[in-house]
Amino acid sequence: MKKRRKRNLSLYQKFCLVIITLGLIPMLFLSTVIVNRMFKEYGNSLRSNYVQAASYVSESLADMMESYNGVSKMPYYYNYSSEGEFQFNYMSYDNLRRIIYGIGEDPEYMEANRYKSMMVFLGNVQAVDSYISGAHFVGEGIQGEKLAFHRSRRNIPSEEETVFDARMGLDGLDRNSKNLMLILTHKNDYFRMQDSWVFTLARNYFDLTGTVGNYKYVGTLFIDVDLERMEAAFKNLNLNARDQVYVCDRENNCYYSSDESLIGKNLTSEGVRFEETKEEFVVDTPYNASGLKVIITMKTATAYEKIRRMQTMMYVFIGASLAALLGGSVWFSRRLTKPIRNMMEQMSEIETGNFQVRLPVTSGDEIGVLSKRFNQMSKELESYINQSYVAHMKQAEAEMTALKSQIYPHFLYNTLDIIVWMIENEQKTEAVKVVTALARFFRISLSRGKSLITVKDELEHVRNYLMIQQMRFKNKFTYTIESDDEVLELASLKLMLQPLVENAIYHGMEYMDGDGEIFVRAWQEEKELYLEVRDNGLGMTEEQVESLFTDTAHVASKRGSGIGVRNVNERIKLYFGAEYGLSIESEPDEGTAVKIHLPAVPYEKVLEEKKV
């Protein structure tokens, strides 16, 4: 049994394997460990920052409530007269009660003076803080009748007393409480033309002149505070736009939230749960002295956005390092295999058509043997190309020359007939145009025997041809020629577009009557040049398109120039390489588009290289 031959790795493969094993794998492992550690530390730090932020807001809210707690005690030390003037009075704690009960007032003016004095009192309450948008006092008169006084920032009285009672929960209000009471955030729509969010602070006011410990209820002071005051506590925090914040009491009533739809509602009833998941983490604080707590929720994707960017940067750095390692391995391996690399470079020269390259033979080892065989191969290729390729080129040029010798007389006769007919019909202007176009057409066709011309000349050549044919066929078709400015001085083979346009006229529009369209365009994409001839004629099937490149019968058309699609395609490949040539898109009754693909090379450069 024949022993299987072991496959040997090249030096380049071995060197890359060492680099990957000793460099890349440890780097990937280390970076993974570092990234995981960074994520953990970043998560802990982020949570700590949010806990501190929530605690800061909670303390700010507690301080705010404490300041409003002091404001709510104003009824006990209020000492302004009914005219709104300050009076020094040791019994100031009883001043508001006297105003409410109308003590010392003339019965005839008591009601009016009481209302005026209470408006002054409520105005003083509002003046304490710019966030206080409304002040109310609801109490009982001497006879037990309900007394209600309301003042807004705009000094607009309430029109909806029942709305106010419902918002404050007046029927269920604890009139025995001696502490500050907090009423859930609501709309202050009990004031005319107002509809903003406020939360209300309430404090009962008692008659302190009675028996100690048995004080009579006089009324309750309500203070409306704009929700912006609570929102201001969050403005100094650097929170993300997708973070959600909540301020809730022990019953889970929401006093403030970044989600306005939840403000003033019970979060439990709304189905809001604060449970930490992989997609979201939650930070909350204990209930402060006011019975409120702060909750902050944050999307994990948003929370780790910055560190994700750092991770991406790290991976980019690793990728760059990998590229550097591989680049270094390529450089080092090529340094070790310099003779082989030199041979590869010389082979590239052969691919470009230079078969005169020879390698120096400096040793008798395997490299020397390869060099000798390489030189022999180059010599044989040069001999073969001289016999085959050059002969093919000359044959193609001879065919084109012969075909042109058939084209020009026939085309010239037809054109001269048109000119004679125009002159006889006194169409001198049109005749001059046709003569001028004919002269330009033959000037470019001859081009002193050159096979290469500029794109500008090629487009001018086909423009003159189309103008003559349009006159000949009496405007059976229209044509448009467009090009980008940067392609006009690029190199083009002569007589590429004419046969394509001729096919469009004679075959594509054979049965059309006056509505034919031919569109010629030239443009550049990166280092490639494209020219296209498109028509709206009869079109072709896939078999007909394929036959244009394979059937020699299509080289000469019955009524056309005879150069044909196949000849143009072969000439392009001979001059510029097998990767260039023609491509055709066509559908029956949908027209035909023939695209020419050439290298985008300046005319002067190609002229010098080809020596044409």
Side-chain angles (χ1 to χ4, degrees), residues 254-364:
C254 181
Y255 284 79
Y256 172 76
S257 173
S258 52
D259 184 357
E260 188 173 328
S261 64
L262 297 175
I263 296 175
K265 297 180 181 179
N266 184 274
L267 297 180
T268 302
S269 301
E270 295 295 321
V272 179
R273 300 288 185 271
F274 300 107
E275 299 177 356
E276 192 156 318
T277 63
K278 291 182 179 180
E279 291 76 25
E280 185 176 66
F281 72 80
V282 181
V283 171
D284 59 2
T285 64
Y287 292 99
N288 59 23
S290 304
L292 299 176
K293 75 172 180 177
V294 177
I295 304 171
I296 302 177
T297 65
M298 188 178 191
K299 299 296 182 183
T300 306
T302 304
Y304 290 101
E305 183 178 1
K306 293 182 179 179
I307 198 168
R308 290 288 184 193
R309 287 200 291 263
M310 292 180 62
Q311 182 187 25
T312 301
M313 291 176 61
M314 180 175 289
Y315 284 141
V316 169
F317 174 77
I318 293 174
S321 300
L322 173 61
L325 287 173
L326 293 178
S329 66
V330 170
W331 178 83
F332 190 67
S333 64
R334 286 182 176 179
R335 292 281 294 178
L336 294 176
T337 58
K338 184 177 180 180
I340 298 177
R341 179 164 56 90
N342 188 31
M343 183 179 296
M344 293 173 61
E345 291 175 354
Q346 298 302 327
M347 290 181 68
S348 298
E349 285 292 319
I350 290 181
E351 291 176 356
T352 63
N354 182 11
F355 300 100
Q356 297 180 352
V357 296
R358 299 293 184 268
L359 289 175
V361 180
T362 58
S363 64

Side-chain angles (χ1 to χ4, degrees), residues 369-420:
V369 173
L370 284 175
S371 298
K372 291 180 180 179
R373 294 190 176 181
F374 178 87
N375 293 338
Q376 182 65 27
M377 177 195 69
S378 178
K379 184 178 180 180
E380 291 179 359
L381 280 174
E382 182 180 11
S383 176
Y384 173 77
I385 292 301
N386 288 334
Q387 296 175 7
S388 177
Y389 180 82
V390 174
H392 194 181
M393 285 276 290
K394 291 181 178 179
Q395 180 182 357
E397 290 299 326
E399 288 178 357
M400 192 182 75
T401 302
L403 289 170
K404 285 192 292 184
S405 66
Q406 299 172 11
I407 299 167
Y408 296 148
H410 180 70
F411 176 70
L412 181 60
Y413 297 152
N414 290 334
T415 306
L416 291 176
D417 286 341
I418 296 172
I419 296 170
V420 171

Side-chain angles (χ1 to χ4, degrees), residues 451-453 489-493 575-576 599-612:
S451 297
L452 290 174
I453 60 175
E489 297 302 323
L490 298 180
S492 169
L493 273 181
Y575 271 95
F576 297 107
V601 182
Y603 170 72
E604 295 297 333
K605 182 178 180 181
V606 175
L607 193 65
E608 180 181 351
E609 291 178 353
K610 296 294 182 180
K611 295 181 175 59
V612 178

Side-chain angles (χ1 to χ4, degrees), residues 503-505 507-512 515-518 534-540 586-593:
N503 284 342
I505 295 172
H507 301 290
M509 302 176 184
E510 186 173 2
Y511 299 104
M512 300 182 69
D515 54 355
E517 295 178 0
I518 297 176
R534 182 183 297 271
D535 66 69
N536 64 341
L538 300 177
M540 295 178 286
S586 185
E587 292 287 341
D589 299 323
E590 297 293 333
T592 302

